[in-house]
């Protein structure tokens, strides 16, 4: 079955950069679309980046600072986060859904990103 494993989280100071990665396994990667979400305790989980239509869709708060990428040879997706702000703090999750049947989806366990001076 599908398994997702996030990595790359950590502590960064405001203005610095960090990159998180998600490894997909257990099924045919080409059948799935994968996006990034984040969640802060006490707040609703929000969409950060979702690929589509030749370019990724980004949350307004990260547009221009975050960049999504997908590597089909390695079954991975990545999120490059530049010019980090304290409000970017949260647990970052990747989510994979079956393109032919979007109701079938999977979540990773998340990786913590903390932005603080």
């Amino acid at each position: 079955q599908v398994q997702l494993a996030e990595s790359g989280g950590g502590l960064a100071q405001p203005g610095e950069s960090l990159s998180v990665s998600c490894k997909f396994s257990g099924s045919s990667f080409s059948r799935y679309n994968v996006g990034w979400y984040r969640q802060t305790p006490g707040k609703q989980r929000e969409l950060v980046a979702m690929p589509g239509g030749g370019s990724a869709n980004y949350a307004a708060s990260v547009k221009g600072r975050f960049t999504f990428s997908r590597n089909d040879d390695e079954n991975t997706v990545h999120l490059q986060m530049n010019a980090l702000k304290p409000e970017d703090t949260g647990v970052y999750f990747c989510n994979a859904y079956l393109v032919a049947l979007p109701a079938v989806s999977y979540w990773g366990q998340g990786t913590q990103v903390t932005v603080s001076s």
Side-chain angles (χ1 to χ4, degrees), residues 11-112:
L11 176 65
Q13 294 185 321
E16 293 185 338
S17 297
L18 204 60
S19 180
V20 291
S21 301
C22 173
K23 176 69 174 181
F24 177 103
S25 63
S27 190
S28 178
F29 191 48
S30 65
R31 294 178 181 271
Y32 290 81
N33 192 26
V34 184
W36 285 98
Y37 293 76
R38 69 184 179 190
Q39 185 167 31
T40 298
K43 296 182 179 180
Q44 187 174 38
R45 185 173 299 184
E46 66 174 336
L47 175 66
V48 177
M50 178 66 70
S55 63
N57 295 311
Y58 298 94
S61 60
V62 308
K63 187 177 181 180
R65 299 187 297 116
F66 290 12
T67 302
F68 175 93
S69 63
R70 173 169 174 145
N71 189 322
D72 290 321
D73 292 328
E74 298 181 350
N75 288 1
T76 57
V77 298
H78 309 270
L79 186 68
Q80 177 66 42
M81 304 179 289
N82 297 327
L84 285 164
K85 302 176 180 180
E87 48 264 48
D88 292 321
T89 294
V91 179
Y92 284 69
F93 298 88
C94 55
N95 174 267
Y97 67 85
L98 191 63
V99 175
L101 191 62
V104 178
S105 65
Y106 303 86
W107 292 94
Q109 292 186 320
T111 184
Q112 177 72 44

